Amino acid sequence: MKEGMGKVAVGAAVIGAAAVVGVAALVVRQRMKTSGRWARAMGIVKEFEEKCGTPEGKLKQVADALTVEMHAGLASEGGSKLKMLISYVDSLPTGNEKGVFYALDLGGTNFRVLRVELGGREEGIIHQEFAEASIPPALMCGNSDALFDYIAEKLASFIDEEEQRFHQPAGRQRELGFTFSFPVMQTSINSGTLIRWTKGFSIDDAVGQDIVAELTEALRRKGVEMRVAALVNDTIGTLAGGRYTNNDVAVAVILGTGTNAAYVERAQAIPKWHGPLPQSGEMVINMEWGNFRSSHLPLTEYDHALDVESLNPGEQIFEKLTSGMYLGEILRRVLLKMAVEASFFGDVVPPKLEIPFVLRTPDMSAIHNDSSSDLRVVGSKLKDILEISNTSLKTRRVIVELCNIVATRGARLAAAGVLGVLKKMGRDSLTEGGEKTVIAMDGGLYEHYTEYRECLESTLNELIGEEAAATIVVEHSNDGSGIGAALLAASNSLYLDQ
Ligand code: GLC
């Protein structure tokens, strides 16, 4: 018996030891698997970071390439990827504008209706009021009438609700500045045809149509009495709005859903302009810089894939690297690759991560901006948006770093864009007169993504050098584009002599 029991006991001990060895082997193998995965994930991050590199020399090449394209775009229609569109704005607001004017602002995530009461030099902006609505996604890809009817309806109810004192005297129509933030071939200050859609809009029957005629028709359908006095891009509106408050504003840059710039050009430096030379000798140009592309741009496999799968493949490449519509999507694509190829989030690829555009730039900004010691915000964003829970601090840190890579590349390229424009204007180095150049900036990305904004501004200083940087001022022009459009409606009013 004794012996037998001993045998059993020995047997059990042997089995126990084997189990311990087995578990240990499993743990080791698991660890090796995990560390192998981690190494693979870090390899993906490292490669991405390298490909996104924007050393100063590269940025200067980008700026130079942009300057060259600006010349080409001004020389002839279709001479460059940069459309360099003539805005028909040859005089910017002076401050003398008077009266009640309206503006419609369409072209980003939100749509706005606005009324401004201008009191001339003495009183400035006496009163302004706006209503805001988001554009229902279905309207972005439907038909032209549906979109313009929606806009006209919002304007109709805005006017219905307004106080008696804003009503126009008999025989006088209300006048409106229409900020339409897409590439438009203007034929006058208040007419122009849509060249193509950008930023996720895709309404085929509007391309090639006169945008003012489309709006005017819709206003008639909705019974709104209104004259469209000016059709402007948001960059033009921002430039006009900026100039109203600061005489040194000569450039406007939008960094929002999309990106673009406008600046004041010498009319004589526009070979493709065949009209009479404006009295001011100047013409504001809408560059449509979102469509800039150059071999110097640091494009990665993720950018190529994003472009190919976008609504406008091959177009708006600069925009796809720098603007709000795309930054979060680039991040998502990198994370997806890490999930698929390195099981970065565990054995299963989180299904939500496979949905295009699910990770929006405002969320990326919140992740990037998380300064809590345990990266709490990162954790909750991952959970809320991607349904990924229980991430380690280490994992969260990597995600923040990825945000940094994507945002830094975008912001530094945007700064290179600004340098390119300043070069074209001869304002990139200290001028003899030492005059100031103010750049009016607007857009949600610039306004709300702190790391992006700070990186853009410091890069600009780095590129321009200390001496010239003292004469270049970047100014946030808060909703300058709406007010700018109203101001341009005022200076192009039918009733200027009243
Ligand atoms: C897109 C549009 C452009 C606009 C910019 C910023 O690039 O094509 O017209 O100015 O977005 O909104």
Side-chain angles (χ1 to χ4, degrees):
M1 269 299 275
K2 249 186 167 182
E3 222 189 334
M5 266 185 69
K7 261 188 191 159
V8 170
V10 169
V14 169
I15 290 168
V20 168
V21 170
V23 168
L26 208 72
V27 168
V28 169
R29 221 177 305 132
Q30 189 65 38
R31 262 201 213 124
M32 270 172 58
K33 199 166 139 200
T34 316
S35 75
R37 286 170 168 188
W38 185 262
R40 230 172 307 144
M42 290 314 100
I44 293 173
V45 174
K46 188 156 173 282
E47 191 191 346
F48 179 59
E49 183 171 19
E50 279 166 11
K51 294 248 161 78
C52 285
T54 51
E56 199 179 306
K58 191 175 199 64
L59 292 181
K60 291 200 162 152
Q61 286 174 318
V62 169
D64 286 339
L66 187 82
T67 310
V68 169
E69 293 299 320
M70 289 174 78
H71 279 279
L74 291 173
S76 63
E77 224 53 88
S80 164
K81 282 240 148 209
L82 284 189
K83 288 247 168 301
M84 305 299 284
L85 298 166
I86 291 167
S87 69
Y88 286 79
V89 173
D90 55 16
S91 58
L92 285 162
T94 56
N96 294 323
E97 295 77 6
K98 268 190 172 176
V100 174
F101 293 92
Y102 297 80
L104 279 181
D105 197 336
L106 173 75
T109 319
N110 292 320
F111 159 70
R112 281 179 160 216
V113 187
L114 173 104
R115 185 186 52 245
V116 184
E117 187 175 7
L118 305 164
R121 189 151 296 282
E122 300 288 290
E123 293 176 272
I125 296 172
I126 298 170
H127 179 93
Q128 57 171 309
E129 199 179 315
F130 70 86
E132 195 167 44
S134 58
I135 301 280
L139 290 185
M140 293 168 63
C141 295
N143 65 63
S144 179
D145 284 358
L147 177 68
F148 283 96
D149 277 350
Y150 173 82
I151 296 170
E153 231 159 71
K154 294 281 173 203
L155 186 58
S157 53
F158 186 72
I159 288 170
D160 276 351
E161 286 159 21
E162 81 185 356
E163 293 168 41
Q164 186 76 32
R165 73 183 186 97
F166 293 120
H167 293 183
Q168 302 287 326
R172 183 174 168 146
Q173 258 190 319
R174 291 185 175 91
E175 291 184 304
L176 166 98
F178 185 19
T179 306
F180 181 74
S181 307
F182 300 95
V184 167
M185 182 65 71
Q186 303 247 168
T187 40
S188 74
I189 182 66
N190 64 350
S191 62
T193 57
L194 174 62
I195 298 173
R196 58 164 173 258
W197 291 104
T198 52
K199 297 178 286 194
F201 280 72
S202 169
I203 304 169
D204 289 348
D205 66 342
V207 176
Q209 299 301 312
D210 188 321
I211 292 308
V212 172
E214 297 275 310
L215 176 61
T216 307
E217 280 289 303
L219 292 175
R220 186 162 337 121
R221 285 197 291 270
K222 300 291 165 192
V224 183
E225 274 279 317
M226 182 90 75
R227 171 178 179 261
V228 183
L231 173 66
V232 298
N233 187 260
D234 51 356
T235 54
I236 307 290
T238 301
L239 189 61
R243 179 65 71 89
Y244 186 69
T245 48
N246 185 336
N247 218 11
D248 294 324
V249 170
V251 183
V253 174
I254 300 288
L255 286 156
T257 308
T259 183
N260 191 9
Y263 73 107
V264 182
E265 182 57 279
R266 288 177 306 118
Q268 275 173 320
I270 313 173
K272 71 177 178 185
W273 170 252
H274 299 300
L277 274 192
Q279 234 176 21
S280 63
E282 294 179 338
M283 178 62 80
V284 178
I285 299 292
N286 164 17
M287 293 177 60
E288 285 295 326
W289 87 4
N291 199 38
F292 173 60
R293 135 169 249 174
S294 152
S295 58
H296 298 298
L297 292 177
L299 290 167
T300 66
E301 60 181 282
Y302 310 97
D303 303 301
H304 287 296
L306 181 154
D307 176 44
V308 168
E309 291 165 36
S310 71
L311 282 174
N312 50 354
E315 285 165 17
Q316 304 295 106
I317 300 298
F318 190 63
E319 180 156 281
K320 287 169 182 164
L321 289 171
T322 51
S323 82
M325 178 161 170
Y326 303 102
L327 298 186
E329 173 63 4
I330 300 169
L331 173 66
R332 181 193 71 86
R333 284 171 180 271
V334 182
L335 289 175
L336 181 60
K337 169 145 167 168
M338 291 164 73
V340 171
E341 292 186 12
S343 307
F344 189 59
F345 296 108
D347 288 332
V348 274
V349 175
K352 289 267 160 162
L353 195 53
E354 301 193 69
I355 305 172
F357 292 96
V358 70
L359 204 52
R360 295 159 52 250
T361 304
D363 296 314
M364 166 178 165
S365 163
I367 291 174
H368 195 170
N369 194 242
D370 188 358
S371 58
S372 63
S373 58
D374 54 349
L375 298 179
R376 220 168 306 139
V377 181
V378 182
S380 68
K381 287 284 172 193
L382 289 172
K383 192 153 176 293
D384 297 346
I385 302 163
L386 300 172
E387 291 172 4
I388 298 172
S389 38
N390 300 327
T391 44
S392 69
L393 186 56
K394 212 163 99 176
T395 298
R396 296 177 189 191
R397 283 211 184 98
V398 172
I399 295 170
V400 174
E401 183 46 30
L402 281 172
C403 295
N404 191 44
I405 296 168
V406 175
T408 301
R409 179 183 65 165
R412 286 178 67 81
L413 288 173
V418 175
L419 174 65
V421 178
L422 291 173
K423 280 195 163 188
K424 174 71 185 70
M425 300 173 83
R427 302 280 188 103
D428 60 312
S429 49
L430 210 54
T431 56
E432 260 175 43
E435 66 251 88
K436 263 203 178 143
T437 305
V438 177
I439 302 159
M441 296 239 187
D442 204 3
L445 182 63
Y446 177 77
E447 195 176 346
H448 302 300
Y449 198 150
T450 313
E451 286 77 10
Y452 187 102
R453 181 181 57 245
E454 287 174 355
C455 177
L456 166 66
E457 290 176 354
S458 66
T459 307
L460 195 56
N461 286 336
E462 168 192 334
L463 292 174
I464 287 171
E466 212 176 305
E467 207 185 45
T471 65
I472 308 287
V473 182
V474 172
E475 212 175 70
H476 178 210
S477 158
N478 208 348
D479 188 41
S481 85
I483 292 166
L487 287 164
L488 290 168
S491 51
N492 291 286
S493 165
L494 272 188
Y495 317 103
L496 275 180
D497 46 346
Q498 290 177 19

